[in-house]
Amino acid sequence: MLLRLRQGVGRLLRTETDRGVVVLLDPRFLQASYRAAVLATLPAATIKIGTAEDMLGVVQEFLGQKQLATWQEQHKKQQKVVG
């Protein structure tokens, strides 16, 4: 699991100037004994903890409203193709 997570983040953030957001939505992560191992696997980052609803605001602030709207539109198009 750690290897796949690291590879996935590596595909998102390829260079020092790339920006991205990784959201772990499993509430068990906060109490998990493997939390330190997961965090050690990922690149240094700002960590925010909150509900899924809270995270939308955090992502919005990080990416900016325009970038988030663009991503949401692309995601809707992808869902139509898949679903």
Side-chain angles (χ1 to χ4, degrees):
M1 187 266 310
L2 294 176
L3 178 60
R4 287 187 179 196
L5 179 61
R6 184 173 179 85
Q7 288 173 335
V9 171
R11 288 184 185 104
L12 175 67
L13 306 172
R14 294 181 182 264
T15 69
E16 291 288 324
T17 59
D18 286 344
R19 297 179 67 205
V21 176
V22 175
V23 180
L24 300 173
L25 296 174
D26 188 339
R28 297 173 297 177
F29 179 72
L30 293 175
Q31 289 84 29
S33 59
Y34 54 84
R35 178 182 178 183
V38 171
L39 294 176
T41 297
L42 300 174
T46 300
I47 298 172
K48 304 281 184 170
I49 298 173
T51 66
E53 292 80 21
D54 295 339
M55 292 303 103
L56 179 58
V58 171
V59 171
Q60 198 171 23
E61 181 181 324
F62 179 79
L63 294 177
Q65 182 61 39
K66 184 177 179 182
Q67 180 64 35
L68 183 60
T70 300
W71 178 85
Q72 287 173 328
E73 188 59 36
Q74 290 171 347
H75 184 66
K76 286 178 187 176
K77 289 178 185 177
Q78 288 175 351
Q79 282 183 328
K80 289 179 184 177
V81 171
V82 173

